[in-house]
Structure formats: structure tokens, C-alpha cells
């Protein structure tokens, strides 16, 4: 079965093999585990009040609330303030598509 979607959670739930396209070109073809591993060590949870301490280059994926405290999820090859966190398939997807342009 072949599916096409931008909803990463759906892909992760039903696919063994994932192909990422960017502007019509194949960027990578891997398993969900390989996508997570690609992003491993490049994902940080940074308290929102430390945003001005981020080290370039970085990409802010989203804002999250943990115990009613605001954090930003940051993807970067550079060490960032805050803590490293577990990478997801979405993190790998974003890193591959941002690096392929």
C-alpha cells in the first residue's frame, strides 16, 4: 500500500518505509527508527524565557507547555540552552526537508 500525506503521526502509525519528498524530489527513504536516529542529539526543549540565548543556526519547531511552563522545541546541530530531548519522526522529517533546500 502506498499513501501520501503530510501528517507525520499517520505515517508513523502505518508505514514501515518512509519516503520524504521535497519540491518533487526524493530526499530520503528510511524507516521511522532511522528518521528518529537522524534527529537524535539535535532536539532541545528550551524554556521560552531563554529564547534570546539560542545559538545560530536553529529552527523553532513549536511552543510546548509542560506543567504550565512555556518551552520551545528547537532543532539544531549546535548545543542549545535547556535540555536535549527524545527525537521524533517529525523532527527527522523537518531536519531532512530543511537541509535539502
Amino acid at each position: 500500500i502506498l499513501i501520501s500525506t503530510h501528517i507525520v503521526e499517520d505515517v508513523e502509525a502505518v508505514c514501515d518505509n518512509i519516503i520524504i519528498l521535497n519540491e518533487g524530489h526524493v530526499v530520503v527513504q528510511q524507516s521511522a527508527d532511522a528518521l528518529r536516529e537522524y534527529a537524535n542529539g539535535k532536539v532541545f526543549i528550551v524554556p521560552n524565557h531563554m529564547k534570546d540565548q539560542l545559538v545560530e543556526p536553529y529552527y523553532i519547531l513549536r511552543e510546548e507547555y509542560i506543567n504550565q511552563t512555556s518551552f520551545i522545541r528547537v532543532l539544531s546541530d549546535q548545543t542549545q540552552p535547556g535540555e536535549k530531548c527524545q527525537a521524533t519522526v517529525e523532527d527527522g522529517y523537518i531536519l531532512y526537508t530543511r537541509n535539502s533546500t
Side-chain angles (χ1 to χ4, degrees), residues 80-92:
Q80 299 295 336
E83 297 183 19
K84 285 185 180 179
C85 65
Q86 185 69 36
T88 66
V89 170
E90 180 182 23
D91 297 327

Side-chain angles (χ1 to χ4, degrees), residues 27-46:
V27 174
V28 68
Q29 181 175 347
Q30 293 185 335
S31 68
D33 287 340
L35 284 171
R36 280 189 287 273
E37 183 58 34
Y38 177 69
N40 193 29
K42 301 175 185 177
V43 185
F44 302 85
I45 295 292
V46 179

Side-chain angles (χ1 to χ4, degrees), residues 61-93:
L61 185 60
R62 66 176 160 269
E63 184 175 12
E64 301 176 351
Y65 287 89
I66 303 170
N67 297 327
Q68 300 179 339
T69 302
S70 176
F71 292 86
I72 51 177
R73 187 176 190 90
V74 177
L75 305 178
S76 180
D77 289 327
Q78 304 297 319
T79 299
Q80 299 295 336
E83 297 183 19
K84 285 185 180 179
C85 65
Q86 185 69 36
T88 66
V89 170
E90 180 182 23
D91 297 327
Y93 164 79

